[in-house]
Amino acid sequence: MGHHRLTPRPGRIVLAGASLGALLAAAVPALATDGYFSNGIGPQAKGIGGAAIAYPKDSLAIASNPASATVLGNRVDIGVEWFRPDREASINGNLAGPDQTFDGSGKEDFFIPEIGYVQQIGNGLAVGIAVYGNGGMNTTYEQNPYARFGATGEAGVNFEQLFVSPVIAYEVAPGHSIGVSFNLAYQRFNAKGIGLFAGFSQDPAHVSNQGNDDAFGYGFRIGYLGQITPWLTVGATYQSKTWAEEFDKYAGLFADQGDFDAPANYGVGVAFHAPHGVDLVGEIQQIEYSDVSAVGNSVNSLFAGKPLGSSDGPGFGWDDVTVFRLGANYQITPEWQIRGGWAYATQPVQEGETFFNILAPGVVQHHFTLGATWSAPSGLEVSAYGLYAPKTTVEGENSIPASFGGGNADVSLSEVAFGLQVGWKFGAR
């Protein structure tokens, strides 16, 4: 990939640059479906439960499996998602104050744009680029849950993660393609109202209320897509850890002096092309949160004397997540498709880790989705989808340490989302 030179037209450069600028300006917080990863990329994939590894529907599918670029033709897709998470925490049986419930949804509505572009070069070679929000998290507690312990002001975090992924793919044999993407990551983080934890940090000046901090990173994804029979397609993908710069302003909060890499993940998928325009899709994805110290290390080591920000220091205590996705797509007419899906993610937040995860309650597990696409003979496509993730609560178990008065913290999250996308398929050039 590093030795292959592409010479896109100036108009395409302007389009990609403008789209990236719009994404950076709009920001991409609050995605928190599979832990803090998005449950899918693009409205067509999200409408079918997020499944795209073996079932590419639009150019944003190259974000899930770069090998998809060879089967998508020439197209561009631009979409936006309205996302509303409902975050809540409660503290019970704590000696420092009465039982109390806290609303973490001080900011309710988020708008998340994304864009994809794919171009066939010829002789089985295709290139593309996807710009999308890979994940994020937001909590805003106007009434600070940690106030009883000495914290002041509003509490919460805002974490945003944007990926820009150029792709190259090649059809190595008829019906079988491999692809690679180079992932350029932009991350932004802000924490406020948690200054009480400065007393537990090796760098107390860089724990809370330091404003926005930015970090850049890089990684890669490889993928395979194969048409095994006329009725069966399979796909597989692996994304490396995304190695990112430290959040220097929060070097006293995150383990390893502010290090916050994006975890590696991998998955496999299948698509069955049944008669009468029905396609059935399934996939499994694994996200390795435990391999990132700031996310996976237990916070309990903090109360055993290991300070925040230290090497291999305390984190949010998240487990790895396995995601199962099932869906169906029905081509009603040449113009209309409808789809639906369900996804289930194992729980990253454990009962003994809820106290710190008041800030990051990424606990929803079930996701139900519906979607539709209208296509015109001119190549225009309009797609929409809706998502509902019912409320999930993780009840704490011995989660508040005795030095803070004991008891438990419970964390809850539910989500709704709606996405709209306009796509354009155009002929070979």
Side-chain angles (χ1 to χ4, degrees):
M1 182 177 177
H3 300 289
H4 187 85
R5 297 191 61 186
L6 303 178
T7 55
R9 299 182 182 182
R12 296 174 188 163
I13 296 174
V14 171
L15 176 62
S19 302
L20 175 56
L23 277 160
L24 288 171
V28 287
L31 293 169
T33 52
D34 299 332
Y36 76 77
F37 274 28
S38 172
N39 190 47
I41 309 297
Q44 294 206 48
K46 289 177 180 178
I48 202 167
I53 294 175
Y55 194 63
K57 296 290 289 178
D58 57 37
S59 57
L60 282 158
I62 64 177
S64 299
N65 185 351
S68 301
T70 61
V71 302
L72 289 166
N74 302 329
R75 63 180 297 146
V76 62
D77 297 275
I78 301 174
V80 64
E81 177 183 271
W82 166 76
F83 181 76
R84 174 175 280 193
D86 185 8
R87 296 84 84 199
E88 185 179 273
S90 62
I91 293 179
N92 309 292
N94 178 247
L95 297 179
D99 292 357
Q100 199 169 0
T101 297
F102 305 90
D103 181 6
S105 303
K107 182 176 181 180
E108 295 183 329
D109 299 308
F110 302 87
F111 295 91
I112 305 155
E114 53 195 1
I115 185 169
Y117 170 77
V118 171
Q119 174 75 53
Q120 306 304 308
I121 302 299
N123 298 319
L125 186 67
V127 296
I129 188 168
V131 185
Y132 58 98
N134 183 67
M137 178 70 68
N138 176 282
T139 48
T140 303
Y141 292 95
E142 295 177 355
Q143 185 176 14
N144 194 325
Y146 300 112
R148 66 179 66 199
F149 310 114
T152 59
E154 288 188 353
V157 299
N158 187 64
F159 173 60
E160 308 163 13
Q161 191 176 76
L162 171 76
F163 274 30
V164 180
S165 301
V167 165
I168 185 168
Y170 181 65
E171 188 177 32
V172 294
H176 299 269
S177 299
I178 57 174
V180 139
S181 65
F182 179 60
N183 296 327
L184 303 169
Y186 164 76
Q187 300 189 130
R188 173 176 287 180
F189 180 79
N190 188 328
K192 59 185 177 181
I194 56 172
L196 80 152
F197 290 111
F200 298 86
S201 173
Q202 70 172 19
D203 186 358
H206 295 97
V207 172
S208 182
N209 295 84
Q210 298 301 299
N212 289 327
D213 198 5
D214 302 316
F216 294 88
Y218 65 91
F220 67 89
R221 182 185 287 273
I222 58 175
Y224 161 77
L225 185 69
Q227 187 75 44
I228 305 303
T229 71
W231 53 269
L232 175 64
T233 304
V234 300
T237 183
Y238 170 81
Q239 180 176 296
S240 73
K241 179 184 285 189
T242 303
W243 298 277
E245 299 172 307
E246 288 81 9
F247 285 121
D248 294 330
K249 292 183 180 180
Y250 295 93
L253 176 62
F254 291 130
D256 302 318
Q257 299 79 50
D259 190 41
F260 204 103
D261 297 333
N265 62 90
Y266 51 89
V268 295
V270 295
F272 297 95
H273 310 289
H276 309 297
V278 176
D279 295 328
L280 305 175
V281 184
E283 71 181 44
I284 302 174
Q285 181 189 26
Q286 182 80 359
I287 307 173
E288 297 187 328
Y289 288 118
S290 67
D291 196 38
V292 177
S293 296
V295 180
N297 287 0
S298 173
V299 73
N300 292 328
S301 63
L302 170 67
F303 307 113
K306 194 172 184 66
L308 291 167
S310 61
S311 297
D312 199 32
F316 287 90
W318 282 21
D319 284 350
D320 294 343
V321 165
T322 304
V323 187
F324 304 89
R325 300 185 176 104
L326 294 172
N329 190 90
Y330 177 36
Q331 184 85 46
I332 304 173
T333 69
E335 294 80 21
W336 281 99
Q337 303 173 57
I338 57 173
R339 58 187 66 94
W342 164 79
Y344 172 80
T346 58
Q347 183 57 254
V349 178
Q350 301 308 300
E351 292 89 346
E353 305 282 351
T354 54
F355 184 52
F356 213 33
N357 278 288
I358 288 172
L359 298 170
V363 298
V364 293
Q365 295 186 270
H366 293 275
H367 317 91
F368 302 95
T369 66
L370 291 171
T373 296
W374 172 80
S375 304
S378 63
L380 176 68
E381 281 188 355
V382 179
S383 299
Y385 95 101
L387 173 145
Y388 172 62
K391 182 177 181 179
T392 300
T393 300
V394 175
E395 298 181 353
E397 183 175 332
N398 300 318
S399 58
I400 302 179
S403 59
F404 281 73
N408 284 301
D410 302 339
V411 294
S412 302
L413 177 67
S414 64
E415 300 167 346
V416 294
F418 175 79
L420 185 66
Q421 175 179 284
V422 176
W424 180 262
K425 297 183 287 186
F426 50 94
R429 297 183 179 179

